[in-house]
Amino acid sequence: MELITVLLSGLLLLISPVGIVLDQVAENAIRSRLVDADSLTVRVDNSPSYQVLQGRVERVRIAGRGVVPRPDLRIAVAELETDPIDLDLGGLRRGEVVLDEPLQGALRLVLTETDLNAFLRSPTVARQLGEIKIGSLNPAQARERNRYKLRNPVIDFLPEESSSVPTDNRLRITVDLEDQVQEGALQLKAEVSLSISAGDRLTITNPMLTVNGIPAPPQLVTSLLGNVNDRLSLQQLDQRGVVLRVISFAIEPEELSLAMWVRVDPSVTRPETANIVP
């Protein structure tokens, strides 16, 4: 979500109150909102040029490599191409940048295995893992809701020939399961396949779980993976006025690629509700 916010906020500041659009101005606006970027290019297409004065831009294309939208996350490739952008002319005259019509476009992201594992080692992920409640595996001890904590996650993208299940888009997650009651830790390895359902939900299928190399009991698989699919729905963003739908998804030996359609509601940019434009 941070990357989308950065790209769109920079994009929505392309037009100054006097109606001047420049590729370099656009690039600078986006760079100023990034922690870092190896490369960033922006192209603004507008013909005829007088449409800018009416608050309309035909198309904006943004291509970034090694983009860092937040200190703990690096994205190998980030590309955004918009449909025509319509801005409220009255807002422009007041020096405000407000969408008159929804902004739509195509977003492509590529994340490498190395960058994802660096993110998994970040304090942000450690804090989120600490909030996951995993109870005892013994039904008689079900009230021990916080007995186990997840630590040290690592992701490996699996080519089809090295996977236990011959299917595409498969990965292995290794994590330590620390016992908070009795000192010690178990090493969990979960192989899962990922697929997209209805364009908005990343679904885990064909899970295979081992504990210290031994196949895990069904109740542990249920405890760890039972609610994960519900957490992976992009519909969580809809209520914030940002709609994302996955067009294509693929896991290669070293990287994960996503192509998405994005839509931003005008309400997101209005001063009283803005959460993209600062």
Side-chain angles (χ1 to χ4, degrees), residues 105-116:
L107 177 66
R108 176 175 174 262
L109 302 177
V110 176
L111 298 96
T112 68
E113 184 180 281
T114 299
D115 290 337
L116 275 178

Side-chain angles (χ1 to χ4, degrees), residues 1-5 7-8 62-64 75 77-82 104-110 237 242-248 257-263:
M1 181 60 189
E2 283 80 3
L3 177 67
I4 296 170
T5 299
L7 294 180
L8 293 179
I62 304 170
I75 299 173
V77 177
E79 298 173 343
L80 175 67
E81 181 171 333
T82 74
Q104 298 183 161
L107 177 66
R108 176 175 174 262
L109 302 177
V110 176
L237 297 175
V242 178
V243 178
L244 288 175
R245 295 296 181 263
V246 177
I247 300 171
S248 65
S257 61
L258 278 168
M260 295 179 285
W261 173 80
V262 58
R263 180 183 185 275

Side-chain angles (χ1 to χ4, degrees), residues 99-266:
L99 286 171
D100 198 29
E101 298 290 340
L103 183 151
Q104 298 183 161
L107 177 66
R108 176 175 174 262
L109 302 177
V110 176
L111 298 96
T112 68
E113 184 180 281
T114 299
D115 290 337
L116 275 178
N117 280 313
F119 178 62
L120 290 177
R121 293 191 296 268
S122 70
T124 299
V125 173
R127 182 173 60 254
Q128 292 175 348
L129 288 177
E131 295 173 354
I132 297 177
K133 300 182 186 301
I134 302 175
S136 172
L137 303 183
N138 186 340
Q141 300 173 326
R143 285 179 291 183
E144 298 180 25
R145 291 182 56 80
N146 297 309
R147 176 164 182 172
Y148 295 100
K149 296 293 184 183
L150 300 174
R151 300 281 189 266
N152 308 318
V154 177
I155 283 182
D156 295 298
F157 296 153
L158 300 177
E160 186 171 349
E161 59 271 16
S162 66
S163 173
S164 301
V165 177
T167 183
D168 294 333
N169 296 334
R170 195 155 177 87
L171 56 82
R172 179 190 300 118
I173 304 172
T174 303
V175 65
D176 294 334
L177 188 65
E178 293 187 355
D179 193 330
Q180 306 297 299
V181 177
Q182 300 177 359
E183 291 187 5
L186 303 173
Q187 186 184 71
L188 306 185
K189 286 188 177 181
E191 278 193 23
V192 300
S193 299
L194 299 180
S195 60
I196 301 298
S197 175
D200 66 357
R201 188 178 299 272
L202 195 61
T203 303
I204 291 177
T205 59
N206 300 319
M208 297 182 62
L209 186 65
T210 62
V211 181
N212 288 348
I214 301 173
Q219 61 265 38
L220 180 57
V221 177
T222 300
S223 176
L224 289 176
L225 302 180
N227 297 320
V228 171
N229 287 335
D230 291 336
R231 295 172 176 264
L232 298 178
S233 174
L234 293 173
Q235 287 189 8
Q236 299 177 56
L237 297 175
D238 290 5
Q239 61 185 356
R240 298 171 59 181
V242 178
V243 178
L244 288 175
R245 295 296 181 263
V246 177
I247 300 171
S248 65
F249 168 81
I251 295 178
E252 304 296 338
E254 299 294 333
E255 64 183 34
L256 179 154
S257 61
L258 278 168
M260 295 179 285
W261 173 80
V262 58
R263 180 183 185 275
V264 181
D265 190 83

Side-chain angles (χ1 to χ4, degrees), residues 9-23:
S9 63
L11 194 159
L12 293 171
L13 291 173
L14 301 185
I15 301 180
S16 72
V18 295
I20 299 175
V21 180
L22 296 172
D23 292 356

